[in-house]
Amino acid sequence: MGNSALDLNPPNATFHLSTHGSDWLWAAFSVFGVSLLTVVAWTFTRPRGARLFHQIAIVVLTTGSLAYFSMASDLGATPVPVEFRGEGTRQIWFVRYIQWFITFPLLLLELLLATGLSLSDIFTTLFMSIVLVITGLVAALVPSTYKWGYYTFGVSALFYIWYVPYVLLWHGPHTTFAAGGVLRRGYLLAAGYLSFLLLLYPIAWACAEGGNVISVTSEMIWYGILDIFAGPIFLFFFLWELRGVDYATFGLHSGKYTDKSAYAPNTTQAAGTIPATTSTGAAGNV
């Protein structure tokens, strides 16, 4: 049985997704889905208190799977009049921006939690990633030339992340790494890799939603390749680099004991007193 997604969910714009584009999106969905199941299984091999980075990856991959299922089904798009190269409307995939709104900050958080950056630097960087996504969505929905004003704001936010404060390329690598030299090497490779990929997204936007230079199917192929490299491939590489790192060195403590924790409090402790943490970390580690 062939792909009948476009028959069941007819395109709603002049420039729209083709059946071949939908086939590619189903393939991308499969990559995200298999990657999600793999990371879930991998997570259960980790002790409690050492699953934070794997659980962030689960959220990213779950969100990506849902987004690609929607786009492959030709759902989650709205028609917007084009500015260049013909007349009519083009499908703008708001479901993709919902995906990025969740995944871009989490990918950066995954990376920056491994550094000695202050919480204020991490918070500002995550905020700028949200600005990047929201301005991209607003720009895509604006039919007039004013879209390029929002595009400029988004690119400025990207350069804040990428270069201006050196968060990814300078500040992050030169902070004190809690987990030592192994993770530092992994961070340098991962930061350079992710920074390069982030730079390609605005180029794709300018050719697709912005300038209407490439078809919707070509847009899907371009963004799909970027999302796979920035999602499953990046996450597998980063988690692999973390495999030998002692999570206690990160200091990621909740400070609360639970009855399911890997670190149980002293059962002889008097009621009403605050349990003391040990060198192995608090039982409520995230």
Side-chain angles (χ1 to χ4, degrees):
M1 182 177 179
N3 184 355
S4 58
L6 273 68
D7 296 327
L8 298 175
N9 304 303
N12 55 3
T14 309
F15 301 93
H16 58 78
L17 181 69
S18 67
T19 300
H20 291 305
S22 177
D23 291 339
W24 157 251
L25 290 170
W26 282 120
F29 163 73
S30 299
V31 172
F32 272 89
V34 171
S35 300
L36 171 61
L37 295 176
T38 303
V39 173
V40 168
W42 191 357
T43 301
F44 283 107
T45 67
R46 302 288 298 181
R48 290 185 180 273
R51 297 178 178 177
L52 172 62
F53 294 100
H54 292 72
Q55 289 171 331
I56 292 176
I58 288 174
V59 176
V60 171
L61 295 173
T62 299
T63 304
S65 298
L66 291 171
Y68 275 89
F69 174 84
S70 300
M71 291 187 289
S73 304
D74 199 29
L75 300 172
T78 187
V80 173
V82 298
E83 183 183 6
F84 303 113
R85 299 177 63 84
E87 298 180 354
T89 57
R90 182 186 178 100
Q91 284 182 313
I92 300 299
W93 299 85
F94 58 83
V95 70
R96 172 187 290 128
Y97 291 91
I98 296 173
Q99 171 202 351
W100 290 343
F101 181 84
I102 298 171
T103 60
F104 274 14
L106 289 179
L107 287 170
L108 291 172
L109 182 63
E110 183 97 331
L111 197 59
L112 296 178
L113 281 178
T115 73
L117 281 176
S118 66
L119 289 177
S120 59
D121 285 332
I122 294 177
F123 172 81
T124 306
T125 305
L126 300 187
F127 172 76
M128 288 300 173
S129 69
I130 293 174
V131 171
L132 172 64
V133 175
I134 291 178
T135 53
L137 173 59
V138 175
L141 295 175
V142 172
S144 70
T145 191
Y146 280 84
K147 69 174 62 182
W148 298 101
Y150 289 101
Y151 177 80
T152 302
F153 280 115
V155 172
S156 299
L158 174 60
F159 275 99
Y160 182 94
I161 299 168
W162 186 69
Y163 181 77
V164 176
Y166 310 103
V167 169
L168 282 182
L169 296 184
W170 180 263
H171 194 180
H174 286 76
T175 53
T176 301
F177 281 68
V182 174
L183 187 58
R184 181 183 179 86
R185 171 186 168 275
Y187 176 88
L188 290 172
L189 292 174
Y193 172 85
L194 188 59
S195 297
F196 174 72
L197 289 178
L198 289 177
L199 191 62
L200 298 179
Y201 279 94
I203 298 174
W205 189 97
C207 294
E209 297 101 318
N212 195 37
V213 175
I214 62 176
S215 67
V216 174
T217 296
S218 298
E219 166 194 341
M220 289 301 185
I221 294 173
W222 192 341
Y223 279 135
I225 292 173
L226 288 179
D227 283 345
I228 289 172
F229 275 91
I233 294 177
F234 167 77
L235 290 169
F236 278 119
F237 168 77
F238 192 72
L239 293 176
W240 180 255
E241 287 291 322
L242 285 173
R243 68 192 185 282
V245 174
D246 182 5
Y247 268 55
T249 60
F250 289 117
L252 299 173
H253 301 253
S254 72
K256 297 178 181 179
Y257 287 104
T258 65
D259 57 357
K260 296 182 180 180
S261 171
Y263 308 105
N266 187 347
T267 56
T268 60
Q269 185 172 358
T273 62
I274 300 176
T277 61
T278 67
S279 59
T280 58
N285 284 2
V286 289

mmCIF file of all heavy atoms in Angstrom, residues 177-224:
data_model
loop_
_atom_site.group_PDB
_atom_site.id
_atom_site.type_symbol
_atom_site.label_atom_id
_atom_site.label_comp_id
_atom_site.label_asym_id
_atom_site.label_seq_id
_atom_site.Cartn_x
_atom_site.Cartn_y
_atom_site.Cartn_z
ATOM 1 N N PHE A 177 35.394 22.566 33.960
ATOM 2 C CA PHE A 177 34.542 21.421 33.692
ATOM 3 C C PHE A 177 34.485 20.524 34.910
ATOM 4 O O PHE A 177 35.510 20.086 35.426
ATOM 5 C CB PHE A 177 35.067 20.634 32.480
ATOM 6 C CG PHE A 177 34.699 21.276 31.187
ATOM 7 C CD1 PHE A 177 35.245 22.486 30.824
ATOM 8 C CD2 PHE A 177 33.773 20.680 30.349
ATOM 9 C CE1 PHE A 177 34.906 23.086 29.637
ATOM 10 C CE2 PHE A 177 33.429 21.275 29.156
ATOM 11 C CZ PHE A 177 33.985 22.487 28.789
ATOM 12 N N ALA A 178 33.268 20.242 35.355
ATOM 13 C CA ALA A 178 33.097 19.458 36.568
ATOM 14 C C ALA A 178 33.596 18.033 36.404
ATOM 15 O O ALA A 178 34.029 17.404 37.343
ATOM 16 C CB ALA A 178 31.621 19.444 36.975
ATOM 17 N N ALA A 179 33.525 17.505 35.187
ATOM 18 C CA ALA A 179 33.826 16.092 35.000
ATOM 19 C C ALA A 179 35.185 15.832 34.371
ATOM 20 O O ALA A 179 35.463 14.731 33.933
ATOM 21 C CB ALA A 179 32.741 15.446 34.151
ATOM 22 N N GLY A 180 36.031 16.835 34.272
ATOM 23 C CA GLY A 180 37.404 16.600 33.871
ATOM 24 C C GLY A 180 37.638 16.580 32.377
ATOM 25 O O GLY A 180 36.802 16.946 31.572
ATOM 26 N N GLY A 181 38.837 16.104 32.002
ATOM 27 C CA GLY A 181 39.320 16.225 30.646
ATOM 28 C C GLY A 181 38.548 15.443 29.605
ATOM 29 O O GLY A 181 38.430 15.867 28.465
ATOM 30 N N VAL A 182 38.017 14.269 29.961
ATOM 31 C CA VAL A 182 37.299 13.462 28.980
ATOM 32 C C VAL A 182 36.089 14.215 28.453
ATOM 33 O O VAL A 182 35.842 14.298 27.262
ATOM 34 C CB VAL A 182 36.862 12.117 29.594
ATOM 35 C CG1 VAL A 182 35.992 11.342 28.618
ATOM 36 C CG2 VAL A 182 38.087 11.297 29.977
ATOM 37 N N LEU A 183 35.327 14.778 29.366
ATOM 38 C CA LEU A 183 34.135 15.517 28.968
ATOM 39 C C LEU A 183 34.507 16.802 28.252
ATOM 40 O O LEU A 183 33.811 17.240 27.354
ATOM 41 C CB LEU A 183 33.278 15.825 30.191
ATOM 42 C CG LEU A 183 31.907 16.441 29.881
ATOM 43 C CD1 LEU A 183 31.120 15.523 28.971
ATOM 44 C CD2 LEU A 183 31.137 16.696 31.142
ATOM 45 N N ARG A 184 35.607 17.426 28.631
ATOM 46 C CA ARG A 184 36.024 18.657 27.964
ATOM 47 C C ARG A 184 36.251 18.397 26.477
ATOM 48 O O ARG A 184 35.811 19.154 25.626
ATOM 49 C CB ARG A 184 37.293 19.205 28.605
ATOM 50 C CG ARG A 184 37.774 20.505 27.970
ATOM 51 C CD ARG A 184 39.086 20.971 28.586
ATOM 52 N NE ARG A 184 39.537 22.186 27.966
ATOM 53 C CZ ARG A 184 39.167 23.409 28.338
ATOM 54 N NH1 ARG A 184 38.320 23.549 29.331
ATOM 55 N NH2 ARG A 184 39.615 24.476 27.725
ATOM 56 N N ARG A 185 36.938 17.317 26.152
ATOM 57 C CA ARG A 185 37.156 16.971 24.750
ATOM 58 C C ARG A 185 35.826 16.750 24.049
ATOM 59 O O ARG A 185 35.598 17.218 22.939
ATOM 60 C CB ARG A 185 38.020 15.712 24.662
ATOM 61 C CG ARG A 185 38.127 15.132 23.257
ATOM 62 C CD ARG A 185 38.881 13.807 23.269
ATOM 63 N NE ARG A 185 38.755 13.118 22.000
ATOM 64 C CZ ARG A 185 37.740 12.335 21.671
ATOM 65 N NH1 ARG A 185 36.762 12.154 22.556
ATOM 66 N NH2 ARG A 185 37.695 11.729 20.498
ATOM 67 N N GLY A 186 34.926 15.997 24.706
ATOM 68 C CA GLY A 186 33.617 15.759 24.122
ATOM 69 C C GLY A 186 32.842 17.043 23.930
ATOM 70 O O GLY A 186 32.148 17.225 22.926
ATOM 71 N N TYR A 187 32.958 17.956 24.895
ATOM 72 C CA TYR A 187 32.235 19.233 24.779
ATOM 73 C C TYR A 187 32.742 20.029 23.592
ATOM 74 O O TYR A 187 31.957 20.594 22.818
ATOM 75 C CB TYR A 187 32.395 20.058 26.049
ATOM 76 C CG TYR A 187 31.745 21.428 25.920
ATOM 77 C CD1 TYR A 187 30.398 21.601 26.239
ATOM 78 C CD2 TYR A 187 32.451 22.514 25.432
ATOM 79 C CE1 TYR A 187 29.791 22.823 26.088
ATOM 80 C CE2 TYR A 187 31.848 23.748 25.272
ATOM 81 C CZ TYR A 187 30.520 23.903 25.597
ATOM 82 O OH TYR A 187 29.914 25.108 25.425
ATOM 83 N N LEU A 188 34.054 20.112 23.432
ATOM 84 C CA LEU A 188 34.622 20.895 22.342
ATOM 85 C C LEU A 188 34.149 20.380 20.992
ATOM 86 O O LEU A 188 33.787 21.161 20.105
ATOM 87 C CB LEU A 188 36.152 20.856 22.421
ATOM 88 C CG LEU A 188 36.780 21.615 23.598
ATOM 89 C CD1 LEU A 188 38.271 21.338 23.674
ATOM 90 C CD2 LEU A 188 36.518 23.110 23.477
ATOM 91 N N LEU A 189 34.124 19.064 20.830
ATOM 92 C CA LEU A 189 33.648 18.487 19.575
ATOM 93 C C LEU A 189 32.154 18.745 19.394
ATOM 94 O O LEU A 189 31.707 19.142 18.312
ATOM 95 C CB LEU A 189 33.935 16.984 19.562
ATOM 96 C CG LEU A 189 35.404 16.567 19.487
ATOM 97 C CD1 LEU A 189 35.538 15.059 19.639
ATOM 98 C CD2 LEU A 189 36.027 17.032 18.177
ATOM 99 N N ALA A 190 31.378 18.530 20.459
ATOM 100 C CA ALA A 190 29.928 18.693 20.371
ATOM 101 C C ALA A 190 29.542 20.153 20.155
ATOM 102 O O ALA A 190 28.627 20.452 19.380
ATOM 103 C CB ALA A 190 29.262 18.153 21.631
ATOM 104 N N ALA A 191 30.236 21.081 20.832
ATOM 105 C CA ALA A 191 29.915 22.508 20.699
ATOM 106 C C ALA A 191 30.199 22.995 19.281
ATOM 107 O O ALA A 191 29.397 23.733 18.689
ATOM 108 C CB ALA A 191 30.709 23.319 21.712
ATOM 109 N N GLY A 192 31.344 22.607 18.733
ATOM 110 C CA GLY A 192 31.659 23.010 17.371
ATOM 111 C C GLY A 192 30.684 22.429 16.368
ATOM 112 O O GLY A 192 30.245 23.103 15.426
ATOM 113 N N TYR A 193 30.315 21.184 16.568
ATOM 114 C CA TYR A 193 29.378 20.489 15.686
ATOM 115 C C TYR A 193 28.006 21.157 15.718
ATOM 116 O O TYR A 193 27.432 21.482 14.673
ATOM 117 C CB TYR A 193 29.300 19.035 16.145
ATOM 118 C CG TYR A 193 28.255 18.183 15.486
ATOM 119 C CD1 TYR A 193 28.513 17.544 14.279
ATOM 120 C CD2 TYR A 193 27.021 17.972 16.089
ATOM 121 C CE1 TYR A 193 27.556 16.729 13.683
ATOM 122 C CE2 TYR A 193 26.062 17.164 15.507
ATOM 123 C CZ TYR A 193 26.338 16.548 14.302
ATOM 124 O OH TYR A 193 25.386 15.750 13.717
ATOM 125 N N LEU A 194 27.474 21.403 16.933
ATOM 126 C CA LEU A 194 26.143 21.999 17.056
ATOM 127 C C LEU A 194 26.141 23.447 16.572
ATOM 128 O O LEU A 194 25.172 23.893 15.951
ATOM 129 C CB LEU A 194 25.671 21.919 18.510
ATOM 130 C CG LEU A 194 24.220 22.338 18.766
ATOM 131 C CD1 LEU A 194 23.252 21.473 17.971
ATOM 132 C CD2 LEU A 194 23.893 22.262 20.254
ATOM 133 N N SER A 195 27.214 24.180 16.830
ATOM 134 C CA SER A 195 27.299 25.572 16.381
ATOM 135 C C SER A 195 27.236 25.654 14.860
ATOM 136 O O SER A 195 26.574 26.530 14.295
ATOM 137 C CB SER A 195 28.596 26.203 16.879
ATOM 138 O OG SER A 195 28.626 26.240 18.287
ATOM 139 N N PHE A 196 27.934 24.751 14.183
ATOM 140 C CA PHE A 196 27.910 24.741 12.720
ATOM 141 C C PHE A 196 26.506 24.434 12.206
ATOM 142 O O PHE A 196 26.015 25.089 11.273
ATOM 143 C CB PHE A 196 28.909 23.704 12.203
ATOM 144 C CG PHE A 196 28.858 23.504 10.720
ATOM 145 C CD1 PHE A 196 29.330 24.478 9.846
ATOM 146 C CD2 PHE A 196 28.309 22.340 10.178
ATOM 147 C CE1 PHE A 196 29.263 24.304 8.467
ATOM 148 C CE2 PHE A 196 28.249 22.148 8.810
ATOM 149 C CZ PHE A 196 28.735 23.134 7.944
ATOM 150 N N LEU A 197 25.826 23.457 12.808
ATOM 151 C CA LEU A 197 24.476 23.106 12.366
ATOM 152 C C LEU A 197 23.499 24.260 12.573
ATOM 153 O O LEU A 197 22.660 24.535 11.711
ATOM 154 C CB LEU A 197 23.990 21.861 13.108
ATOM 155 C CG LEU A 197 24.651 20.534 12.739
ATOM 156 C CD1 LEU A 197 24.097 19.413 13.606
ATOM 157 C CD2 LEU A 197 24.452 20.210 11.262
ATOM 158 N N LEU A 198 23.610 24.938 13.717
ATOM 159 C CA LEU A 198 22.707 26.061 13.985
ATOM 160 C C LEU A 198 22.862 27.167 12.957
ATOM 161 O O LEU A 198 21.899 27.880 12.640
ATOM 162 C CB LEU A 198 22.955 26.607 15.390
ATOM 163 C CG LEU A 198 22.502 25.738 16.559
ATOM 164 C CD1 LEU A 198 22.890 26.378 17.883
ATOM 165 C CD2 LEU A 198 20.997 25.507 16.509
ATOM 166 N N LEU A 199 24.053 27.318 12.435
ATOM 167 C CA LEU A 199 24.299 28.351 11.434
ATOM 168 C C LEU A 199 23.590 28.039 10.114
ATOM 169 O O LEU A 199 23.272 28.948 9.341
ATOM 170 C CB LEU A 199 25.808 28.490 11.203
ATOM 171 C CG LEU A 199 26.288 29.699 10.393
ATOM 172 C CD1 LEU A 199 25.927 30.990 11.109
ATOM 173 C CD2 LEU A 199 27.787 29.618 10.166
ATOM 174 N N LEU A 200 23.317 26.766 9.853
ATOM 175 C CA LEU A 200 22.688 26.371 8.589
ATOM 176 C C LEU A 200 21.176 26.566 8.585
ATOM 177 O O LEU A 200 20.571 26.662 7.519
ATOM 178 C CB LEU A 200 23.013 24.900 8.303
ATOM 179 C CG LEU A 200 24.498 24.557 8.127
ATOM 180 C CD1 LEU A 200 24.662 23.060 7.862
ATOM 181 C CD2 LEU A 200 25.121 25.365 7.000
ATOM 182 N N TYR A 201 20.564 26.638 9.774
ATOM 183 C CA TYR A 201 19.103 26.804 9.827
ATOM 184 C C TYR A 201 18.629 28.126 9.222
ATOM 185 O O TYR A 201 17.661 28.124 8.435
ATOM 186 C CB TYR A 201 18.615 26.650 11.265
ATOM 187 C CG TYR A 201 18.471 25.219 11.712
ATOM 188 C CD1 TYR A 201 19.502 24.557 12.375
ATOM 189 C CD2 TYR A 201 17.295 24.507 11.483
ATOM 190 C CE1 TYR A 201 19.372 23.235 12.787
ATOM 191 C CE2 TYR A 201 17.145 23.183 11.900
ATOM 192 C CZ TYR A 201 18.208 22.556 12.553
ATOM 193 O OH TYR A 201 18.070 21.252 12.951
ATOM 194 N N PRO A 202 19.230 29.269 9.562
ATOM 195 C CA PRO A 202 18.775 30.520 8.932
ATOM 196 C C PRO A 202 18.982 30.540 7.419
ATOM 197 O O PRO A 202 18.203 31.177 6.693
ATOM 198 C CB PRO A 202 19.642 31.597 9.621
ATOM 199 C CG PRO A 202 20.080 30.980 10.898
ATOM 200 C CD PRO A 202 20.246 29.527 10.600
ATOM 201 N N ILE A 203 20.016 29.849 6.929
ATOM 202 C CA ILE A 203 20.231 29.769 5.485
ATOM 203 C C ILE A 203 19.097 28.990 4.836
ATOM 204 O O ILE A 203 18.553 29.392 3.791
ATOM 205 C CB ILE A 203 21.594 29.111 5.186
ATOM 206 C CG1 ILE A 203 22.732 29.952 5.772
ATOM 207 C CG2 ILE A 203 21.792 28.930 3.683
ATOM 208 C CD1 ILE A 203 24.100 29.310 5.647
ATOM 209 N N ALA A 204 18.720 27.880 5.470
ATOM 210 C CA ALA A 204 17.597 27.095 4.956
ATOM 211 C C ALA A 204 16.311 27.923 4.984
ATOM 212 O O ALA A 204 15.518 27.880 4.033
ATOM 213 C CB ALA A 204 17.433 25.821 5.788
ATOM 214 N N TRP A 205 16.102 28.685 6.066
ATOM 215 C CA TRP A 205 14.887 29.502 6.176
ATOM 216 C C TRP A 205 14.818 30.537 5.050
ATOM 217 O O TRP A 205 13.763 30.743 4.442
ATOM 218 C CB TRP A 205 14.855 30.209 7.532
ATOM 219 C CG TRP A 205 13.564 30.900 7.839
ATOM 220 C CD1 TRP A 205 12.534 30.424 8.586
ATOM 221 C CD2 TRP A 205 13.158 32.204 7.383
ATOM 222 N NE1 TRP A 205 11.510 31.336 8.628
ATOM 223 C CE2 TRP A 205 11.864 32.442 7.902
ATOM 224 C CE3 TRP A 205 13.753 33.179 6.602
ATOM 225 C CZ2 TRP A 205 11.165 33.612 7.645
ATOM 226 C CZ3 TRP A 205 13.055 34.353 6.337
ATOM 227 C CH2 TRP A 205 11.775 34.564 6.866
ATOM 228 N N ALA A 206 15.947 31.191 4.779
ATOM 229 C CA ALA A 206 15.968 32.226 3.742
ATOM 230 C C ALA A 206 15.632 31.654 2.369
ATOM 231 O O ALA A 206 15.007 32.319 1.536
ATOM 232 C CB ALA A 206 17.339 32.903 3.712
ATOM 233 N N CYS A 207 16.023 30.405 2.122
ATOM 234 C CA CYS A 207 15.743 29.768 0.834
ATOM 235 C C CYS A 207 14.338 29.181 0.769
ATOM 236 O O CYS A 207 13.795 29.012 -0.331
ATOM 237 C CB CYS A 207 16.761 28.667 0.564
ATOM 238 S SG CYS A 207 18.460 29.248 0.335
ATOM 239 N N ALA A 208 13.746 28.882 1.903
ATOM 240 C CA ALA A 208 12.449 28.208 1.937
ATOM 241 C C ALA A 208 11.332 29.189 2.282
ATOM 242 O O ALA A 208 10.767 29.839 1.403
ATOM 243 C CB ALA A 208 12.500 27.063 2.946
ATOM 244 N N GLU A 209 11.007 29.317 3.567
ATOM 245 C CA GLU A 209 9.901 30.185 3.970
ATOM 246 C C GLU A 209 10.118 31.647 3.578
ATOM 247 O O GLU A 209 9.169 32.359 3.259
ATOM 248 C CB GLU A 209 9.688 30.111 5.490
ATOM 249 C CG GLU A 209 9.295 28.749 6.016
ATOM 250 C CD GLU A 209 10.455 28.003 6.629
ATOM 251 O OE1 GLU A 209 11.552 28.048 6.028
ATOM 252 O OE2 GLU A 209 10.276 27.392 7.685
ATOM 253 N N GLY A 210 11.356 32.092 3.625
ATOM 254 C CA GLY A 210 11.631 33.506 3.359
ATOM 255 C C GLY A 210 11.572 33.867 1.891
ATOM 256 O O GLY A 210 10.770 34.696 1.457
ATOM 257 N N GLY A 211 12.446 33.264 1.085
ATOM 258 C CA GLY A 211 12.561 33.658 -0.315
ATOM 259 C C GLY A 211 11.779 32.808 -1.290
ATOM 260 O O GLY A 211 11.705 33.143 -2.474
ATOM 261 N N ASN A 212 11.197 31.695 -0.841
ATOM 262 C CA ASN A 212 10.439 30.806 -1.719
ATOM 263 C C ASN A 212 11.298 30.339 -2.899
ATOM 264 O O ASN A 212 10.804 30.135 -4.017
ATOM 265 C CB ASN A 212 9.169 31.509 -2.227
ATOM 266 C CG ASN A 212 8.172 30.538 -2.836
ATOM 267 O OD1 ASN A 212 8.023 29.422 -2.362
ATOM 268 N ND2 ASN A 212 7.496 30.976 -3.892
ATOM 269 N N VAL A 213 12.600 30.172 -2.652
ATOM 270 C CA VAL A 213 13.531 29.777 -3.708
ATOM 271 C C VAL A 213 13.438 28.280 -3.983
ATOM 272 O O VAL A 213 13.490 27.848 -5.142
ATOM 273 C CB VAL A 213 14.979 30.163 -3.324
ATOM 274 C CG1 VAL A 213 15.975 29.657 -4.357
ATOM 275 C CG2 VAL A 213 15.101 31.673 -3.154
ATOM 276 N N ILE A 214 13.308 27.478 -2.939
ATOM 277 C CA ILE A 214 13.243 26.028 -3.094
ATOM 278 C C ILE A 214 11.821 25.551 -2.820
ATOM 279 O O ILE A 214 11.029 26.236 -2.185
ATOM 280 C CB ILE A 214 14.242 25.317 -2.152
ATOM 281 C CG1 ILE A 214 13.913 25.615 -0.681
ATOM 282 C CG2 ILE A 214 15.670 25.719 -2.481
ATOM 283 C CD1 ILE A 214 14.808 24.869 0.316
ATOM 284 N N SER A 215 11.510 24.371 -3.293
ATOM 285 C CA SER A 215 10.163 23.813 -3.103
ATOM 286 C C SER A 215 9.965 23.370 -1.658
ATOM 287 O O SER A 215 10.924 23.242 -0.884
ATOM 288 C CB SER A 215 9.969 22.620 -4.042
ATOM 289 O OG SER A 215 10.819 21.552 -3.656
ATOM 290 N N VAL A 216 8.720 23.097 -1.321
ATOM 291 C CA VAL A 216 8.409 22.629 0.027
ATOM 292 C C VAL A 216 9.059 21.265 0.272
ATOM 293 O O VAL A 216 9.563 20.992 1.366
ATOM 294 C CB VAL A 216 6.886 22.550 0.242
ATOM 295 C CG1 VAL A 216 6.558 21.914 1.594
ATOM 296 C CG2 VAL A 216 6.272 23.945 0.158
ATOM 297 N N THR A 217 9.088 20.417 -0.728
ATOM 298 C CA THR A 217 9.729 19.115 -0.575
ATOM 299 C C THR A 217 11.223 19.258 -0.330
ATOM 300 O O THR A 217 11.796 18.585 0.543
ATOM 301 C CB THR A 217 9.472 18.245 -1.822
ATOM 302 O OG1 THR A 217 8.076 17.982 -1.927
ATOM 303 C CG2 THR A 217 10.237 16.928 -1.734
ATOM 304 N N SER A 218 11.882 20.147 -1.079
ATOM 305 C CA SER A 218 13.312 20.406 -0.852
ATOM 306 C C SER A 218 13.545 20.978 0.537
ATOM 307 O O SER A 218 14.529 20.650 1.202
ATOM 308 C CB SER A 218 13.846 21.365 -1.920
ATOM 309 O OG SER A 218 13.740 20.810 -3.211
ATOM 310 N N GLU A 219 12.635 21.833 0.975
ATOM 311 C CA GLU A 219 12.707 22.377 2.340
ATOM 312 C C GLU A 219 12.666 21.257 3.370
ATOM 313 O O GLU A 219 13.447 21.240 4.332
ATOM 314 C CB GLU A 219 11.535 23.335 2.550
ATOM 315 C CG GLU A 219 11.271 23.734 3.982
ATOM 316 C CD GLU A 219 9.912 24.392 4.174
ATOM 317 O OE1 GLU A 219 9.332 24.869 3.173
ATOM 318 O OE2 GLU A 219 9.423 24.417 5.329
ATOM 319 N N MET A 220 11.763 20.308 3.163
ATOM 320 C CA MET A 220 11.639 19.200 4.101
ATOM 321 C C MET A 220 12.897 18.351 4.148
ATOM 322 O O MET A 220 13.325 17.909 5.218
ATOM 323 C CB MET A 220 10.439 18.329 3.714
ATOM 324 C CG MET A 220 9.104 18.975 3.964
ATOM 325 S SD MET A 220 8.918 19.405 5.732
ATOM 326 C CE MET A 220 7.235 20.002 5.744
ATOM 327 N N ILE A 221 13.498 18.132 2.986
ATOM 328 C CA ILE A 221 14.731 17.341 2.946
ATOM 329 C C ILE A 221 15.849 18.078 3.678
ATOM 330 O O ILE A 221 16.574 17.482 4.488
ATOM 331 C CB ILE A 221 15.128 17.050 1.486
ATOM 332 C CG1 ILE A 221 14.075 16.148 0.835
ATOM 333 C CG2 ILE A 221 16.511 16.418 1.415
ATOM 334 C CD1 ILE A 221 14.283 15.945 -0.654
ATOM 335 N N TRP A 222 15.985 19.376 3.431
ATOM 336 C CA TRP A 222 17.041 20.178 4.048
ATOM 337 C C TRP A 222 16.865 20.214 5.569
ATOM 338 O O TRP A 222 17.781 19.865 6.320
ATOM 339 C CB TRP A 222 17.018 21.585 3.455
ATOM 340 C CG TRP A 222 18.222 22.433 3.794
ATOM 341 C CD1 TRP A 222 19.112 22.237 4.808
ATOM 342 C CD2 TRP A 222 18.658 23.599 3.101
ATOM 343 N NE1 TRP A 222 20.074 23.224 4.813
ATOM 344 C CE2 TRP A 222 19.817 24.072 3.767
ATOM 345 C CE3 TRP A 222 18.175 24.302 1.999
ATOM 346 C CZ2 TRP A 222 20.504 25.219 3.360
ATOM 347 C CZ3 TRP A 222 18.860 25.448 1.588
ATOM 348 C CH2 TRP A 222 20.009 25.895 2.257
ATOM 349 N N TYR A 223 15.684 20.624 6.016
ATOM 350 C CA TYR A 223 15.442 20.698 7.456
ATOM 351 C C TYR A 223 15.508 19.309 8.106
ATOM 352 O O TYR A 223 15.971 19.167 9.244
ATOM 353 C CB TYR A 223 14.069 21.307 7.733
ATOM 354 C CG TYR A 223 14.012 22.813 7.674
ATOM 355 C CD1 TYR A 223 12.974 23.455 7.003
ATOM 356 C CD2 TYR A 223 14.974 23.595 8.305
ATOM 357 C CE1 TYR A 223 12.903 24.844 6.951
ATOM 358 C CE2 TYR A 223 14.914 24.980 8.258
ATOM 359 C CZ TYR A 223 13.872 25.605 7.570
ATOM 360 O OH TYR A 223 13.806 26.983 7.525
ATOM 361 N N GLY A 224 15.030 18.303 7.400
ATOM 362 C CA GLY A 224 15.055 16.958 7.963
ATOM 363 C C GLY A 224 16.471 16.475 8.220
ATOM 364 O O GLY A 224 16.762 15.889 9.270
#
